[in-house]
Amino acid sequence: KPKEAVEQYRLALDAVVGQDSEMAFQCLRGLANLEPSSAEIQARMAAVALKLGKTDLATASYHKLGLLRMAEGRYPEAVEALEEGVRLPGAPPTLRMDLARACAKAGRFARVISVLENRRGLSDEREVLDLLGEAYLAEKQFDKAEKVYQTLLENSVAAVGPLVTVAMEYISRGSVPQGLRTLKAI
C-alpha cells in the first residue's frame, strides 16, 4: 500500500537524519518513487546525493526539482535548482535547455544567451534559435537577433514580427539604411 510505504519511509528517514546519509538517501529514493511530484523530496535527495558524492543522482534530482518548479510557474526557483544541476560535472544537454527555458520565463535573458550561445549537444536547433532570438531582442543585441531571426525566417513566417521590431529599432536609433536593409531582406 503506497500510503503506508510513504509513512514508513518518512519514519525511517526521520530516524536516520544526520546519522546515516546512505540510509537517508535510500529512504529518499523510495519516497521519490512513490511521490514523484514532491519538490521537497527532490531537494532533499539532491543535497544528500551531493553529500555522498553521487553527482549524477544529485544532477538528476536538481533537474527534476527544476522541472517541478517550472510546472508550478515558479520560474525563479526553477532557475535556482537547474543552476545547481548545471554546475555539477556531467550535466546533460537537456538540463541546459531546461535552464534556458526557465531563465526565459523568469526574464533572465542574459543567462539564456550565456547558456545557449555554445549550442554543442543541444538537439532542438529551432527552439534554441527561438530562445536566443528572444533573449537578444530583450538584451538589445539587435545585430545578433537579426541574424537569428533571418535563419528562422527560412522556415517560419513567425520570424517576420521580430525582424520588423529589429528594423524599427535600427531606424529609431538613427540607422535608417540598416533598418531599410533589414526590411528589404524580409
Side-chain angles (χ1 to χ4, degrees):
K1 297 180 181 177
K3 283 186 179 184
E4 288 179 19
V6 166
E7 186 178 313
Q8 294 303 313
Y9 275 126
R10 288 194 181 273
L11 288 172
L13 183 61
D14 290 343
V16 298
V17 165
Q19 298 171 19
D20 187 349
S21 296
E22 188 63 48
M23 180 60 78
F25 183 73
Q26 294 305 320
C27 292
L28 288 165
R29 281 185 86 168
L31 283 168
N33 287 332
L34 293 166
E35 296 180 331
S37 61
S38 171
E40 175 231 345
I41 291 170
Q42 292 299 327
R44 289 179 73 183
M45 195 157 83
V48 173
L50 265 181
K51 186 176 179 181
L52 293 171
K54 299 178 181 199
T55 56
D56 56 332
L57 296 171
T59 301
S61 293
Y62 281 126
H63 194 179
K64 178 75 174 172
L65 177 59
L67 294 174
L68 290 169
R69 293 294 187 223
M70 282 176 60
E72 296 169 351
R74 296 165 66 177
Y75 301 110
E77 292 174 39
V79 169
E80 288 177 31
L82 295 168
E83 287 284 10
E84 290 296 326
V86 165
R87 285 186 194 106
L88 297 173
T94 55
L95 181 53
R96 285 188 20 237
M97 254 331 270
D98 286 331
L99 173 59
R101 288 181 192 112
C103 286
K105 293 285 189 182
R108 297 181 186 177
F109 294 107
R111 184 63 178 133
V112 172
I113 293 168
S114 67
V115 168
L116 295 181
E117 275 190 325
N118 174 5
R119 297 182 219 158
R120 277 179 289 169
L122 301 177
S123 60
D124 189 352
E125 183 70 11
R126 166 129 180 126
E127 185 180 12
V128 169
L129 291 174
D130 282 337
L131 287 167
L132 273 174
E134 179 185 7
Y136 286 141
L137 272 180
E139 291 293 311
K140 303 197 182 317
Q141 296 181 25
F142 300 113
D143 290 341
K144 290 180 178 183
E146 180 181 6
K147 288 177 187 172
V148 167
Y149 284 116
Q150 287 291 352
T151 301
L152 287 170
L153 186 61
E154 295 171 11
N155 298 314
S156 172
V157 295
V160 170
L163 281 170
V164 169
T165 300
V166 168
M168 292 300 139
E169 282 294 330
Y170 286 149
I171 292 169
S172 72
R173 293 169 184 257
S175 183
V176 175
Q178 194 172 13
L180 293 174
R181 177 186 51 77
T182 302
L183 289 172
K184 186 177 178 182
I186 296 171

